[in-house]
Amino acid sequence: LEDAEYTSKVRLSQYSASNGKTNKMYLLDRDAFSLIVMGFTGAEAMEWKKQYVKAFNEMEKQIISTPKTQYLEPKIQCEIALIEGIAKGLKIDDASKLSMYHTLAKVNNLDSSILPHYVENTKVHHALTHFLKERTPKISAKEFNQILVLNGYLEQKTRQSKDKSIKKFYSVTDKGNYYGINQTSHQNKNETQPHWYDNTFDELFDVCVNIKMVA
């Protein structure tokens, strides 16, 4: 290739033959290889061209059939896996999960326009203290949470803080999902904050109070 535009696309290298002799070889990129192959003539050249076209067709099929996540940078793939792992492990709600994906897009300079801005949740929910203010009999949030844990509606999880100390927090269990959801804590994204549905809290409260009285 004498064209200056394509000279840089060819690189001199070498290989060892079966007899141990070192021979020259040339490494070509796709453009340079295309120019050379398309210039071949004769029956053998036609076979080269057919194999060349076949190779690129196979490559196209592989690209189309490969999940798009495989083309993401390893860092982003790891972050996606982390989000999915946290969402599953902490049982957080879809709105909190969506917020984490928006954050991922922002820190990686990705287009987040394809993401919805919110996940509709038709059930109104609040933190526990909201419900206990006017309830009778009076019961503290700490005591109520303990009852919820004992009966499988809540579980206590732990995480390690930056100073290596162990922090405890609560998470709604699968059994408790009928009565509430987990949201990511405003104080720490690695913690959940249980919220309880307005329309089912009376039932949950009555169950827990009856359990307390029986005990």
Side-chain angles (χ1 to χ4, degrees):
L1 291 174
E2 297 181 355
D3 192 311
E5 181 181 352
Y6 288 91
T7 301
S8 60
K9 298 177 180 291
V10 180
R11 183 163 59 89
L12 178 63
S13 184
Q14 60 185 26
Y15 71 96
S16 296
S18 58
N19 60 5
K21 183 180 178 181
T22 299
N23 298 322
K24 291 182 180 179
M25 71 175 180
Y26 293 91
L27 303 177
L28 292 75
D29 71 1
R30 185 186 64 181
D31 293 344
F33 185 74
S34 298
L35 285 176
I36 292 177
V37 170
M38 294 310 168
F40 289 170
T41 59
E44 186 176 351
M46 180 55 69
E47 186 60 31
W48 268 80
K49 293 176 184 179
K50 287 165 61 179
Q51 292 300 323
Y52 176 76
V53 172
K54 181 180 178 181
F56 274 93
N57 285 338
E58 289 297 324
M59 186 184 301
E60 182 182 31
K61 289 180 182 178
Q62 182 177 353
I63 291 173
I64 293 174
S65 63
T66 302
K68 291 182 174 55
T69 52
Q70 292 191 19
Y71 296 107
L72 294 174
E73 294 180 11
K75 173 179 176 292
I76 298 176
Q77 290 189 46
C78 290
E79 290 173 350
I80 290 175
L82 180 62
I83 289 175
E84 293 298 327
I86 291 174
K88 182 178 180 180
L90 299 184
K91 302 181 179 69
I92 62 173
D93 66 321
D94 289 338
S96 297
K97 184 176 176 180
L98 177 62
S99 175
M100 296 168 73
Y101 271 109
H102 274 286
T103 301
L104 181 147
K106 182 178 180 180
V107 299
N108 288 288
N109 296 315
L110 300 175
D111 181 10
S112 63
S113 61
I114 61 172
L115 295 172
H117 293 289
Y118 68 94
V119 176
E120 185 176 2
N121 189 335
T122 56
K123 294 184 178 181
V124 180
H125 52 82
H126 293 90
L128 180 60
T129 53
H130 169 83
F131 296 104
L132 297 182
K133 292 177 182 178
E134 307 298 329
R135 295 279 167 168
T136 54
K138 291 291 184 181
I139 185 171
S140 68
K142 180 179 179 180
E143 187 177 8
F144 196 79
N145 280 333
Q146 289 174 344
I147 297 173
L148 291 172
V149 170
L150 287 173
N151 291 277
Y153 299 110
L154 271 186
E155 61 181 334
Q156 192 170 68
K157 292 180 174 288
T158 60
R159 68 171 181 84
Q160 191 175 57
S161 63
K162 292 181 179 179
D163 62 3
K164 305 301 182 181
S165 62
I166 301 300
K167 301 293 184 180
K168 298 179 180 180
F169 61 94
Y170 289 111
S171 177
V172 179
T173 63
D174 291 336
K175 180 180 178 180
N177 280 340
Y178 173 76
Y179 298 103
I181 58 172
N182 288 312
Q183 293 201 308
T184 50
S185 171
H186 295 299
Q187 296 180 341
N188 191 293
K189 297 297 183 181
N190 294 321
E191 296 182 9
T192 53
Q193 180 182 17
H195 271 216
W196 304 100
Y197 297 128
D198 287 23
N199 65 335
T200 55
F201 187 79
D202 286 344
E203 179 184 339
L204 179 66
F205 184 80
D206 290 342
V207 169
C208 290
V209 168
N210 288 333
I211 292 173
K212 179 175 180 284
M213 288 181 173
V214 171

